[in-house]
Amino acid sequence: MLKLSRLSAFAALTVLILLVQVTAFAGNGQSQEPSAGNADKAQTSKSTKKRKKKKVTTATPVAVFAAPVFSAQTPAPVVVKSVAITPTEAAPAPRNTASAARANTGVYVSPSGTPVETAASAGQLIISEFRVRGPNGANDEFIEIYNKSGADHTVSAASGTGYGIAASDGTTRCSIPNGTVIPNRGHYLCVNSVGYSLASYPAGNGTTATGDATYTTDIPDNAGIALFNNNSGGGSYILANRIDAVGSTSEANTLYKEGTGYSALTPFSIDYSFYRDTCGKGGSITTLGGCDLGGNPKDTDNNAADFIFVDTNGTSAGAGQRLGAPGPENLSSPIQRNASISAVVLDTCAAAAAPPNRVRDFTSDPANNSTFGTLDIRRTFTNNTGGNVTRLRYRVMDLTTFPAPSGFADLRPRTSTAIVVTVDRPPCGSGTSNVTVQGTTLEQPPSQPNGGGFNSSLSSGTVTLATPLANGASIDVRFLLGIQQTGTFKLNVNIEALP
């Protein structure tokens, strides 16, 4: 006999968010929390040799709620709550009146209505993800810029030849040249070409996350970084010209951070990054519910509140501990399309928590981070963009994963393959049919031997330039999650796509 452990969560699925529930058997009912001291044994200074990483430890199953005993063949009861949250896509800023003089597009509109490009102001572009060290050492760095203005932004510097990205030593690391167009919700990527190790991470159609601009001078650990509306340097790098900044608590120059800064790191050479919270829970593993930010990066001018630390080994390095992965994006990368790609459960005639919409497999597969089996979640995505979609992927923005405390599931997103599933679609009860549910691929690098986590991305490989998803067309997709510990769980994803 097996003791039942109910894995519950709140909301179901939305245009941008996937949040589900599950019930699972908890084996022998013994509980043991995963180790919280699972940091890699890595170097602690720039000159120390990197050591070998330790793999995330697993845990025995946890009984979440008191429950009757069921046999392995008896269906478990499920309580389903469904909350629909529809995001609102930011409307373009006005361009035809004098009141739009500093519209979020970075365009000055004269009284005659003729647009004239101006430099970006604070809040229009933000540093959305970065790191100043990686497995390749001190030079394994990148800085990602995000356009949150609400419209495409054309770079027009206040002085010099572009916008400058500088460290707190005042030295410009790279520039965004004048005339560069950063799409609305698009990215610009600056990398240290000496050690950057993520150039093969997938980006657009046939492109990867190479730097749009490069530099060769190391940014010291925990140093601040700022984006300015010019690249003239010197006296031009002042608060009035600053567009955005991020730095640690140990950064003394307040020009290069917002608020008190993020928690300073012990300088391990691990595959980590800081990325902006897109859910609104600060990277909490245990806070349930939907994502109030609608998938948009958080920007409260407080680095400690806005950024989340992740790494591929769940390391405790001083800024919070959670399994996840860096995901640098450049000008060619897919763009968040939550408002124009809708989603429903695979079979709308069945409950969200029931097959074929959700399937629990109890087969143990430790080699694939699925010691207590897997959870298979199926959804149907429909293209409402008005044109073809040639690239489609899903970025994890909220998840219960390592190091989940007792009572919460430890889930590991993993690669899956296509399967044929029997569905009963409207009009319900009129007959069944077989559909192919496409698998998703956990995108690498970085290598994710412990499975995916926060900020990991999974792609739909059947959507390509040669085989696009037409406007109005749908694709059936599965998300396969390895279970390393049973308990209450959540999963929220952002939808990213290219025309």
Side-chain angles (χ1 to χ4, degrees):
M1 302 297 284
L2 297 173
K3 189 169 183 179
L4 181 68
S5 173
R6 184 177 302 166
L7 299 178
S8 64
F10 296 84
L13 158 71
T14 69
V15 173
L16 76 157
I17 296 172
L18 185 65
L19 184 60
V20 291
Q21 294 182 320
V22 67
T23 300
F25 294 99
N28 59 17
Q30 299 298 314
S31 64
Q32 177 183 342
E33 293 189 29
S35 170
N38 198 43
D40 301 341
K41 289 187 176 180
Q43 66 183 36
T44 58
S45 68
K46 295 263 180 176
S47 60
T48 305
K49 184 178 180 181
K50 183 176 72 175
R51 300 176 186 173
K52 187 177 180 180
K53 297 181 181 178
K54 294 176 69 176
K55 196 170 183 179
V56 173
T57 57
T58 59
T60 56
V62 176
V64 181
F65 300 112
V69 175
F70 293 82
S71 70
Q73 290 75 38
T74 305
V78 177
V79 178
V80 177
K81 293 183 180 179
S82 178
V83 179
I85 303 173
T86 303
T88 300
E89 190 165 351
R95 295 187 182 215
N96 59 354
T97 67
S99 63
R102 283 191 72 87
N104 281 344
T105 56
V107 173
Y108 173 79
V109 181
S110 69
S112 65
T114 303
V116 180
E117 292 179 357
T118 61
S121 58
Q124 295 177 355
L125 303 178
I126 58 175
I127 298 169
S128 50
E129 187 171 355
F130 73 95
R131 77 177 181 200
V132 295
R133 175 182 287 275
N136 272 359
N139 290 294
D140 194 352
E141 307 171 322
F142 70 85
I143 307 156
E144 175 191 281
I145 307 299
Y146 176 83
N147 175 11
K148 59 167 286 189
S149 68
D152 295 350
H153 177 82
T154 301
V155 174
S156 179
S159 65
T161 59
Y163 298 158
I165 301 172
S168 54
D169 57 7
T171 300
T172 303
R173 293 312 196 269
C174 61
S175 297
I176 309 177
N178 285 335
T180 301
V181 178
I182 305 176
N184 182 34
R185 299 188 303 277
H187 301 84
Y188 189 90
L189 187 62
C190 177
V191 309
N192 186 331
S193 59
V194 175
Y196 178 59
S197 65
L198 298 172
S200 297
Y201 175 66
N205 291 298
T207 64
T208 58
T210 54
D212 296 307
T214 62
Y215 63 98
T216 58
T217 303
D218 166 48
I219 299 174
D221 291 310
N222 298 313
I225 303 166
L227 171 66
F228 294 96
N229 65 11
N230 68 90
N231 60 1
S232 300
S236 295
Y237 284 175
I238 58 176
L239 184 61
N241 293 332
R242 190 184 76 182
I243 301 173
D244 194 36
V246 60
S248 75
T249 52
S250 63
E251 174 56 65
N253 190 341
T254 57
L255 179 62
Y256 290 87
K257 65 181 179 182
E258 293 183 340
T260 58
Y262 63 83
S263 298
L265 293 180
T266 301
F268 297 129
S269 289
I270 53 178
D271 247 327
Y272 85 89
S273 76
F274 280 97
Y275 77 97
R276 285 197 185 255
D277 184 2
T278 54
C279 180
K281 301 175 186 175
S284 170
I285 293 171
T286 58
T287 302
L288 302 177
C291 289
D292 294 339
L293 296 179
N296 299 307
K298 187 176 181 181
D299 183 20
T300 66
D301 298 331
N302 180 357
N303 296 157
D306 293 345
F307 284 88
I308 297 171
F309 172 83
V310 295
D311 84 288
T312 57
N313 202 47
T315 306
S316 178
Q321 183 181 11
R322 61 193 60 80
L323 184 66
E329 298 176 84
N330 60 18
L331 285 171
S332 73
S333 296
I335 291 171
Q336 189 245 87
R337 307 280 185 180
N338 294 333
S340 54
I341 298 179
S342 61
V344 295
V345 293
L346 177 69
D347 187 345
T348 56
C349 294
N357 297 321
R358 194 181 73 201
V359 174
R360 176 74 164 92
D361 186 340
F362 298 97
T363 305
S364 179
D365 185 9
N368 287 301
N369 301 295
S370 306
T371 300
F372 302 108
T374 58
L375 183 64
D376 194 346
I377 300 167
R378 289 84 174 265
R379 295 294 184 263
T380 299
F381 293 89
T382 301
N383 174 15
N384 301 309
T385 63
N388 286 347
V389 166
T390 63
R391 176 90 160 91
L392 183 61
R393 72 178 175 190
Y394 320 88
R395 188 172 300 278
V396 177
M397 59 177 174
D398 191 28
L399 180 72
T400 50
T401 189
F402 181 85
S406 174
F408 289 86
D410 178 356
L411 302 182
R412 312 290 178 86
R414 50 179 283 193
T415 295
S416 59
T417 56
I419 56 173
V420 176
V421 174
T422 301
V423 297
D424 175 17
R425 288 173 170 171
C428 300
S430 62
T432 59
S433 61
N434 292 330
V435 299
T436 299
V437 181
Q438 302 294 340
T440 52
T441 301
L442 181 64
E443 295 187 319
Q444 301 183 77
S447 175
Q448 296 171 69
N450 301 301
F454 283 87
N455 202 43
S456 293
S457 58
L458 299 106
S459 63
S460 286
T462 58
V463 178
T464 67
L465 279 170
T467 56
L469 186 66
N471 183 53
S474 299
I475 181 173
D476 298 322
V477 172
R478 61 190 293 230
F479 298 91
L480 187 62
L481 308 168
I483 301 173
Q484 291 293 78
Q485 175 175 297
T486 61
T488 302
F489 85 96
K490 60 183 178 177
L491 171 65
N492 288 275
V493 302
N494 257 343
I495 301 169
E496 298 178 352
L498 283 176

